[in-house]
Amino acid sequence: MTSTLITNGLVVTAAESMHADVLIEDGRVAALLDPAKTAELGVAADQVIDAGGRIVAPGGIDAHTHMELPFGGTSAADTFETGSRAAAWGGTTTILDFAVQAKGESAMDGFERWMAKAEGECAVDYGFHMITGDINEQTLKEMDMLVDEGVTSFKMFMAYPGVFYSTDGEIVMAMQKAAENGSVIAMHAENGIAIDVFVRQALQRGETDPIYHGLVRKAALEGEATHRAIRLAEVTGAVLYIVHLSALEALDQVIWARDEGRKVFAETCPQYLFLDLDDLGNGFEGAKYVCSPPLRDRMEGHQERLWRGLQTDDLQVVSTDHCPFCMGDHHAFGTQKQLGRDNFSAIPNGLPGVENRMELIFDGGVTAGRIDLNRYVEITAAAPAKMFGLYPKKGTIAVGSDADIIIIDPDRTHTISAATHHMDVDYSAYEGQEVTGKVETVLSKGKVIISDGRYHGSKGDGEYLHRGAGYYI
Ligand code: DUC
Ligand code: ZN
Ligand code: ZN
């Protein structure tokens, strides 16, 4: 039996902050001890980590990643190996990735393909949501089978006609099934049919630069789709989770639904809190920032509304939508963002971020005084754990929980850069941004995988998480 004692730190969960020593045995939290009594009681451990002056928090849960996602004629650049290792570097100890059911494919086959991609590759524990890209009688039956396999959330798209898109009728059928089997529908809420008209018209006018991606995917069309998703959830009784919410028009709909007492939840992402439409300018450089929904106009006030939503619990989670594509010829995938050099709509959608989330939100949230440490833990770990059936195994530091723990120096400042990050992508969306609050030490199931600026883990340390039903409060 191996044991570790983390001493002298401020232990923070979503519920409380306490000066306590954390005893870890066999990968789990065995005790939280009064530091004054640890020595007196003669508590000994194989390894002692001094966390003096540091914050000891649950490892982050990134509920929205796309490792190796096939998209727009290429695949997201991070594999499960590289992406999950980068997650660990940034203090994320669980990822929930999106398995894909392609059109004409069985959902179970899609799930098994994703299991095969991830198995034996990951640095941290992982689970899957399922993208249901083809709703039919068989898929509806398979949604029950997937719940039995630990996949208790299904992502649907109101965007991307001809690719992942589902009609309102298909959404209704999937929502009815989710209401019946206790799963949740995660929705990409943008009106893709309307957006495609604006895309065609822009291209006809010769508007091909990345900035037009941001201009045609209008905030009002995210608001409209969010409203429709909420109404479809209402008439079917489904629990709804809006993914990557970017616009105040969409947030207003979530607030309205929650005020009515509906089971509607939403996440936003660091890119919508820190970046904006201007990043899509500057010629083709803007391709680095093409993701959907797009970055919004700072002058319209989306960012401050999103931060406020996190403060007031109108937004419950920050995930990344990590989906990196290279700007240059970085590796075997060949050109990626360049596919859309003459046509913004052919630029693969997505940004890297799995490594940056915990430190960005610490900086913009805690250091900037917008949220306290407990709320920080809630939106980065506890709430996603509860919502996706992982709590209290994950998302907290309590006796019996997995010892997925990060140690943060709240005063240490560093500069984000592609030169030092570990994601397998040739640029950083946050290049040159200074953040205060550094994840220094990371434990996954009791094993120190990051310390002293080094990675000590191995691929395959991460295990599949068979998730249960979420806890929707
Ligand atoms: N949005 C992105 O930016 N990338 C992947 C899929 C999505 O919905
Ligand atoms: Zn999406
Ligand atoms: Zn996504």
Side-chain angles (χ1 to χ4, degrees):
M1 183 161 86
T2 53
S3 59
T4 301
L5 188 67
I6 303 176
T7 61
N8 298 322
L10 178 69
V11 176
V12 178
T13 67
E16 57 191 334
S17 307
M18 57 195 147
H19 288 282
D21 292 349
V22 184
L23 180 66
I24 298 165
E25 284 171 356
D26 280 343
R28 297 217 174 136
V29 176
L32 289 165
L33 303 158
D34 177 348
K37 300 231 174 92
T38 307
E40 195 182 306
L41 293 170
V43 176
D46 304 323
Q47 173 180 227
V48 176
I49 300 172
D50 183 359
R54 309 285 195 272
I55 290 154
V56 179
I61 298 178
D62 191 339
H64 192 150
T65 69
H66 296 286
M67 307 305 172
E68 310 179 31
L69 176 74
F71 192 102
T74 183
S75 280
D78 264 319
T79 60
F80 279 94
E81 180 188 355
T82 63
S84 65
R85 195 166 56 221
W89 273 102
T92 287
T93 52
T94 297
I95 58 168
L96 297 181
D97 203 85
F98 287 80
V100 177
Q101 174 203 24
K103 282 256 179 282
E105 185 187 33
S106 109
M108 285 306 289
D109 285 354
F111 167 66
E112 272 151 26
R113 264 189 312 123
W114 252 257
M115 285 290 270
K117 286 188 201 208
E119 198 178 354
E121 298 294 315
C122 290
V124 297
D125 286 355
Y126 59 96
F128 293 117
H129 313 279
M130 187 81 216
I131 291 176
T132 45
D134 195 354
I135 293 293
N136 52 45
E137 280 308 312
Q138 189 197 336
T139 307
L140 295 173
K141 285 196 196 109
E142 287 175 319
M143 285 173 71
D144 288 336
M145 294 159 73
L146 284 159
V147 167
D148 293 340
E149 296 289 342
V151 178
T152 52
S153 39
F154 297 91
K155 183 177 181 190
M156 307 198 75
F157 288 79
M158 302 168 102
Y160 302 128
V163 191
F164 297 127
Y165 177 80
S166 291
T167 64
D168 288 357
E170 289 164 342
I171 291 169
V172 163
M173 288 191 280
M175 283 184 166
Q176 286 172 330
K177 173 53 77 177
E180 187 188 305
N181 70 18
S183 58
V184 57
I185 296 294
M187 188 63 78
H188 180 132
E190 286 186 290
N191 185 329
I193 300 285
I195 285 169
D196 273 10
V197 173
F198 290 113
V199 170
R200 268 199 311 278
Q201 291 172 346
L203 292 173
Q204 274 161 10
R205 288 192 296 269
E207 296 169 350
T208 59
D209 273 359
I211 186 74
Y212 295 104
H213 173 84
L215 297 175
V216 297
R217 301 186 84 94
K218 297 171 191 302
L221 295 176
E222 186 182 342
E224 183 277 327
T226 303
H227 179 86
R228 192 158 27 103
I230 290 167
R231 285 298 194 195
L232 297 178
E234 177 186 346
V235 295
T236 54
V239 177
L240 178 66
Y241 178 81
I242 303 290
V243 293
H244 48 47
L245 188 147
S246 75
L248 63 88
E249 288 84 346
L251 178 57
D252 283 341
Q253 298 306 312
V254 171
I255 292 172
W256 156 73
R258 290 177 63 77
D259 285 352
E260 298 244 311
R262 310 274 180 74
K263 300 250 179 251
V264 173
F265 304 88
E267 66 175 20
T268 190
C269 311
Q271 53 269 35
Y272 304 120
L273 295 164
F274 290 92
L275 306 173
D276 63 52
L277 186 65
D278 288 349
D279 292 299
L280 280 162
N282 194 19
F284 195 70
E285 277 296 287
K288 291 175 178 171
Y289 300 95
V290 167
C291 60
S292 293
L295 305 181
R296 300 298 182 189
D297 187 343
R298 188 178 288 261
M299 300 313 287
E300 291 172 1
H302 301 278
Q303 283 185 357
E304 281 315 313
R305 285 294 311 284
L306 295 180
W307 279 112
R308 203 194 312 158
L310 289 169
Q311 290 166 329
T312 56
D313 202 39
D314 289 306
L315 294 171
Q316 293 74 44
V317 174
V318 178
S319 311
T320 60
D321 200 7
H322 175 76
C323 192
F325 297 99
C326 292
M327 281 293 277
D329 244 340
H330 175 59
H331 56 45
F333 288 112
T335 52
Q336 299 201 298
K337 292 284 190 183
Q338 302 294 335
L339 289 165
R341 184 157 270 284
D342 303 315
N343 173 355
F344 68 84
S345 72
I347 298 169
N349 285 201
L351 254 63
V354 74
E355 186 171 352
N356 307 125
R357 179 186 66 123
M358 296 299 284
E359 290 168 345
L360 282 168
I361 301 304
F362 193 93
D363 179 73
V366 179
T367 308
R370 289 186 174 104
I371 55 173
D372 65 14
L373 284 167
N374 309 102
R375 183 67 183 152
Y376 170 72
V377 168
E378 190 157 30
I379 62 180
T380 58
K386 286 178 184 167
M387 222 158 275
F388 296 113
L390 294 171
Y391 196 85
K393 177 180 169 69
K394 307 287 188 189
T396 192
I397 299 177
V399 173
S401 297
D402 282 358
D404 288 1
I405 293 176
I406 59 177
I407 302 177
I408 302 171
D409 182 342
D411 302 317
R412 193 166 143 199
T413 294
H414 75 286
T415 303
I416 299 175
S417 174
T420 48
H421 76 198
H422 302 85
M423 298 173 285
D424 194 14
V425 58
D426 59 358
Y427 75 95
S428 170
Y430 307 96
E431 187 69 38
Q433 185 168 329
E434 208 174 73
V435 286
T436 300
K438 177 97 185 79
V439 175
E440 288 185 336
T441 305
V442 180
L443 288 83
S444 169
K445 292 173 292 183
K447 175 175 169 180
V448 176
I449 56 172
I450 302 285
S451 70
D452 304 317
R454 292 186 47 211
Y455 173 66
H456 310 282
S458 325
K459 77 175 191 167
D461 282 348
E463 294 170 297
Y464 175 66
L465 293 165
H466 186 288
R467 297 186 291 116
Y471 173 61
Y472 308 113
I473 34 152

